């Protein structure tokens, strides 16, 4: 899973397609003002445990 954010939806779609071409899941988090904060090292998604063993 790779997250992305941006103010240009068309550009975000291109980046999402690139991410998915490498067989990762692309998660769009919104605009730079909102999604950018979520992508910071101590933002809420940084603490998600997406792998369960």
């Amino acid at each position: 899973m790779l997250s992305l954010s941006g103010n240009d939806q068309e550009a975000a779609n291109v980046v999402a397609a690139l991410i998915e071409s490498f067989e990762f899941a692309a998660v769009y988090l919104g605009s730079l003002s909102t999604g950018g904060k979520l992508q910071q090292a101590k933002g809420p998604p940084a603490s998600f445990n997406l792998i369960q063993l």
Side-chain angles (χ1 to χ4, degrees), residues 2-22:
L2 291 174
S3 59
L4 67 133
S5 59
N7 294 332
D8 183 339
Q9 186 63 49
E10 186 177 332
N13 291 340
V14 170
V15 173
L18 179 64
I19 290 170
E20 291 169 354
S21 75
F22 292 111

Side-chain angles (χ1 to χ4, degrees), residues 12-34:
N13 291 340
V14 170
V15 173
L18 179 64
I19 290 170
E20 291 169 354
S21 75
F22 292 111
E23 299 186 11
F24 287 96
V27 178
Y28 182 69
L29 297 176
S31 68
L32 290 175
S33 62
T34 304

